[in-house]
Amino acid sequence: MAQLYHSVDNVCEIVIERIKSLGKYDSYYSDGDVDSSSEGSETVSAGAMTPRSPMRSIHLSPMRAQTMPRALSKSSECLYPRSRSPSDGHNADGSLEIPPLYIPKRKRSAESFRMEDLGELRPELYETEEKFKTERAIHGKKIEEVIEEFYGTIYFAVRFDRKGSKLYVHLSKITNLPPRSQRSPTYDTFVSLCLLPDEKHSLNSRVVKDNLNPPFEEVFTFNVDRSRGFENYTLRLSVYSSDLPQWFNAIGHTLVPLSKCVTPEERPQDFRRRLSRKSMLSGDLGRMMISLAYLPSLERLSVVILRVRDIPIQKGHAVEHFETYVKVRLVCDGEKIKTERTPPIKGTINPVFAESIGYVMPAVFIERTVLVIQLMQKGHLRRDKLLGQVILGPYLLTDSKNLSHFGQMLSGREASKRWHSLYL
């Protein structure tokens, strides 16, 4: 028992010495001695550890003295590593062996760092608002670049007979029509001709089968009312696939104002025009950013309407009451499958929709799918008005053999995002 008490005294003295070496003892306690009394108890006098505020003396009972080495060992595991000696932490004379005290290194505070440790500041690495505006002004055209898609070239000649008030159109040929798919690239085509704005009387050419460069060599005749003026007429030639004759399935259109076809000599005017999805003469109707994605494994087609820019407003209409939304129509094999609408946005000509629309579309039908995306103005006391539209699909390539937006969507697994000009 005396040997155990002697070990406890050694432990207490070593702990106090360690605290003094850390500089903590002098901060809280004054100098003093530890006194030992009889076997039954051990007393630490008030002078031994006297804090600057009054503190009671600590008396250790025999039971507490017996358990102190074990409790001290458990509570000091973080400071003292466990002894691995065969004597289980005791010296040859039976006293408790105290391993070296482990003092963790303190982290350096922010004040302890010197400026030369941080290195030099490089302002060019920090993006400021002025720098952001400058880069946006420099790269603005690249960010909002609109890629026009054309789907072939049509060759024709026009002659107007003043005496008979007749318009003669000689349809020659079409070249570089886009392939529809890899399995069946060719298809049957024909041309539909009409005079706008009436659009009631139209003439169709013969059907040329399985040819992406179909020859026609046909002449068509239209009667023209000269009292209405030539500037009010527009000749439109539309190219269709024979199995998908609907207007939204047109391969492309070309528009020629009649005023450009009339000459004093009444000679034929030759034209070579590229085919686009624009079917009506109109000015700048704005631009729309669209993102497309298709996952064959899930058979899911995703259309994201991101934003619209520079929507023209008629004179006399206030922007505060201007309300628009986007209508997306899915067409497959000439039939309307499903129509979705985005929530309307009011009071701006640059609406941000950021609306995602999903369709379940099997891979066997994706090559015959058309997306008709229309920007609509919400009418409160009248029908909603069409402001512009974008038609995408089903053709994968343009006439320049580049991937169309629809083809780019099918060629990869990532979403394809593009700006498109709105048209009618």
Side-chain angles (χ1 to χ4, degrees):
M1 184 65 69
Q3 184 180 358
L4 178 61
Y5 294 158
H6 179 70
S7 300
V8 172
D9 292 340
N10 292 338
V11 170
C12 294
E13 290 178 2
I14 292 175
V15 170
I16 293 174
E17 291 298 330
R18 293 295 186 185
I19 296 176
K20 284 183 178 182
S21 64
L22 293 176
K24 299 180 180 179
Y25 179 85
D26 296 334
S27 302
Y28 294 94
Y29 300 97
S30 60
D31 295 335
D33 299 326
V34 179
D35 299 332
S36 299
S37 60
S38 61
E39 293 182 353
S41 63
E42 178 178 343
T43 304
V44 180
S45 63
M49 291 184 294
T50 305
R52 295 177 183 177
S53 60
M55 182 177 177
R56 296 183 303 170
S57 300
I58 302 174
H59 300 276
L60 300 177
S61 63
M63 183 63 66
R64 180 60 175 167
Q66 293 178 6
T67 59
M68 185 174 178
R70 183 181 305 173
L72 181 61
S73 175
K74 291 183 178 180
S75 62
S76 305
E77 288 182 356
C78 58
L79 297 179
Y80 297 96
R82 292 183 178 180
S83 176
R84 298 182 180 179
S85 61
S87 57
D88 194 17
H90 288 78
N91 295 321
D93 57 354
S95 61
L96 183 64
E97 179 184 1
I98 303 298
L101 182 65
Y102 170 72
I103 303 175
K105 294 183 180 180
R106 292 183 297 175
K107 295 182 179 180
R108 298 175 66 183
S109 61
E111 293 80 2
S112 63
F113 283 102
R114 297 176 298 175
M115 291 301 297
E116 51 267 22
D117 295 338
L118 297 177
E120 297 181 358
L121 293 177
R122 301 177 62 184
E124 65 273 9
L125 297 179
Y126 299 89
E127 185 168 321
T128 61
E129 183 178 358
E130 182 178 0
K131 178 183 177 183
F132 176 75
K133 291 181 179 179
T134 304
E135 289 182 352
R136 185 170 180 84
I138 294 174
H139 303 289
K141 294 183 179 180
K142 185 176 181 180
I143 294 175
E144 300 184 4
E145 182 181 3
V146 178
I147 301 176
E148 298 289 345
E149 296 182 355
F150 298 97
Y151 298 95
T153 304
I154 186 170
Y155 297 81
F156 60 98
V158 179
R159 183 179 69 87
F160 181 72
D161 184 8
R162 290 181 179 272
K163 295 182 180 180
S165 297
K166 294 182 180 297
L167 181 69
Y168 297 96
V169 181
H170 174 230
L171 177 61
S172 178
K173 61 181 178 179
I174 302 175
T175 60
N176 297 326
L177 288 177
R180 180 179 295 173
S181 64
Q182 296 180 355
R183 292 177 295 181
S184 56
T186 61
Y187 41 88
D188 305 339
T189 55
F190 70 95
V191 180
S192 178
L193 300 87
C194 69
L195 286 178
L196 302 177
D198 295 336
E199 203 175 349
K200 295 180 180 179
H201 180 61
S202 61
L203 301 176
N204 296 334
S205 70
R206 63 186 179 89
V207 177
V208 179
K209 296 184 177 181
D210 297 331
N211 197 338
L212 298 181
N213 300 285
F216 291 96
E217 302 298 337
E218 296 184 53
V219 178
F220 304 90
T221 305
F222 292 93
N223 295 320
V224 180
D225 186 3
R226 298 180 59 182
S227 61
R228 299 180 59 178
F230 297 112
E231 63 276 2
N232 296 324
Y233 285 99
T234 301
L235 174 65
R236 183 177 70 189
L237 293 86
S238 304
V239 182
Y240 293 93
S241 176
S242 61
D243 57 342
L244 301 173
Q246 288 78 5
W247 67 269
F248 41 77
N249 287 310
I251 301 173
H253 311 271
T254 188
L255 301 165
V256 180
L258 203 59
S259 58
K260 295 183 178 181
C261 304
V262 179
T263 59
E265 298 83 5
E266 297 186 2
R267 293 179 179 178
Q269 298 290 324
D270 294 329
F271 291 93
R272 175 180 177 270
R273 294 294 182 91
R274 302 179 73 180
L275 299 172
S276 67
R277 293 294 177 89
K278 183 178 180 179
S279 62
M280 301 287 291
L281 283 179
S282 59
D284 185 10
L285 302 181
R287 307 180 304 279
M288 181 183 295
M289 179 179 280
I290 305 171
S291 177
L292 301 178
Y294 180 70
L295 295 177
S297 58
L298 300 179
E299 295 184 345
R300 184 166 183 83
L301 173 64
S302 298
V303 182
V304 181
I305 308 299
L306 296 173
R307 61 178 63 192
V308 181
R309 290 282 183 88
D310 303 330
I311 305 175
I313 300 181
Q314 296 180 358
K315 295 182 178 180
H317 290 73
V319 181
E320 293 78 10
H321 306 290
F322 190 67
E323 191 171 3
T324 57
Y325 67 93
V326 177
K327 180 169 62 175
V328 182
R329 180 181 300 165
L330 179 67
V331 181
C332 185
D333 280 336
E335 297 183 4
K336 301 176 184 178
I337 304 300
K338 192 175 183 181
T339 301
E340 297 287 348
R341 293 174 173 83
T342 66
I345 295 181
K346 189 175 182 180
T348 178
I349 62 173
N350 300 304
V352 178
F353 294 98
E355 191 73 19
S356 178
I357 300 173
Y359 300 96
V360 177
M361 177 57 58
V364 294
F365 297 109
I366 191 65
E367 295 178 349
R368 300 176 66 85
T369 299
V370 177
L371 290 170
V372 183
I373 304 173
Q374 298 175 327
L375 177 65
M376 308 294 295
Q377 180 182 358
K378 194 172 182 58
H380 299 283
L381 299 178
R382 61 183 186 275
R383 296 180 60 183
D384 296 348
K385 180 182 178 181
L386 175 63
L387 300 177
Q389 65 183 3
V390 177
I391 300 177
L392 301 176
Y395 306 101
L396 308 182
L397 300 176
T398 61
D399 57 358
S400 56
K401 307 305 178 183
N402 295 326
L403 283 174
S404 64
H405 193 181
F406 198 81
Q408 188 176 3
M409 173 196 69
L410 296 180
S411 63
R413 297 295 178 262
E414 297 182 356
S416 174
K417 180 173 61 176
R418 283 191 189 181
W419 282 99
H420 292 270
S421 296
L422 295 174
Y423 46 79
L424 295 175

